[in-house]
Amino acid sequence: MWIIIRVLIAVVSLFLIQFYFVRKVKLSVKTLFPTFPDKKRKIILSVFLLLLNAYPVLLIINSVYAATTNQSIVFPQSVLADYLLLYPFWIVLIIIVQTCLFFLIIDLFKLLLFPLYKKYKEKLYSLQAKLFLAVIAFFIIYVPARVIYDYHKVNIRFVEFKKDNLSEDLVGLKIAFITDVQADRYTDDSRLK
């Protein structure tokens, strides 16, 4: 029962984040590009939503199938599945979450300063649309670049701990603590070394 509740929370959260993001994108595009064809906008939005939702939908279908047939959950372990489903989902989700967090703060300020915002709504609306699309463009570049950077960068930090009256047995003791390796089937020996 707990797993069903967790899945429902995840699905509702994903839906709310998508709804907020798509609403902001539609309003920004309509504000800045009023002549942009609706048909093209709908196609772009459909491809975007497909990229974002294909992986979770397949996971849910797979989970339901596994639960009804008493089998374990199996997701295809292939490069094609990773590059077409898994990576696009996570990268797009991170872009959406970061953009939405940024704009939730702006929307909270608008709510708190509503009388002032209402007075300059027309001017601020165009500025907000430009800012929203600029933030999306920034995260579209930043998130994949950061993923690639983090994959190739390994941080090593040396900490020397000194304590008076330390037991003789512990003098010169070295401890190695390895954390957050993020290893998968694409992690090669050179990265691990």
Side-chain angles (χ1 to χ4, degrees):
M1 182 65 179
W2 177 241
I3 190 75
I4 294 171
I5 293 171
R6 288 172 51 189
V7 169
L8 285 175
I9 290 171
V11 168
V12 169
S13 299
L14 185 62
F15 173 77
L16 290 174
I17 290 169
Q18 284 181 50
F19 178 77
Y20 180 77
F21 183 80
V22 167
R23 187 172 157 264
K24 287 285 191 185
V25 169
K26 281 182 179 179
L27 290 173
S28 297
V29 169
K30 279 187 177 184
T31 301
L32 297 176
F33 309 106
T35 59
F36 193 79
D38 282 343
K39 189 174 182 178
K40 285 184 181 181
R41 185 174 39 87
K42 287 179 183 178
I43 290 171
I44 293 169
L45 183 62
S46 298
V47 169
F48 167 76
L49 291 174
L50 180 68
L51 275 177
L52 184 61
N53 292 309
Y55 180 67
V57 166
L58 285 174
L59 279 181
I60 291 170
I61 291 169
N62 198 349
S63 300
V64 169
Y65 176 76
T68 57
T69 60
N70 292 327
Q71 296 178 3
S72 61
I73 298 172
V74 178
F75 193 77
Q77 299 291 315
S78 71
V79 174
L80 189 62
D82 288 345
Y83 283 100
L84 291 179
L85 297 172
L86 184 65
Y87 297 150
F89 167 74
W90 283 111
I91 289 174
V92 170
L93 183 65
I94 291 169
I95 290 168
I96 288 175
V97 168
Q98 289 183 339
T99 305
C100 288
L101 286 174
F102 184 80
F103 272 89
L104 275 173
I105 293 169
I106 290 176
D107 284 347
L108 286 174
F109 276 121
K110 282 178 13 187
L111 188 62
L112 291 173
L113 303 170
F114 186 71
L116 184 63
Y117 174 74
K118 189 176 178 181
K119 186 177 178 182
Y120 300 104
K121 186 176 181 179
E122 294 302 321
K123 291 179 183 178
L124 292 175
Y125 203 69
S126 176
L127 178 66
Q128 180 182 342
K130 291 174 186 173
L131 181 63
F132 186 74
L133 293 180
V135 168
I136 291 172
F138 169 76
F139 282 123
I140 285 172
I141 295 167
Y142 173 77
V143 170
R146 184 62 194 244
V147 168
I148 292 167
Y149 173 79
D150 285 345
Y151 179 79
H152 292 290
K153 176 76 173 138
V154 176
N155 293 328
I156 299 174
R157 185 173 64 179
F158 295 97
V159 177
E160 190 172 328
F161 179 76
K162 294 184 179 190
K163 180 170 171 52
D164 295 334
N165 303 325
L166 193 62
S167 169
E168 289 287 327
D169 298 338
L170 298 177
V171 172
L173 177 71
K174 293 183 180 181
I175 298 173
F177 182 65
I178 301 172
T179 183
D180 205 18
V181 176
Q182 300 290 330
D184 60 10
R185 65 182 174 275
Y186 300 112
T187 305
D188 56 6
D189 290 338
S190 65
R191 178 172 168 77
L192 290 176
K193 288 177 185 175

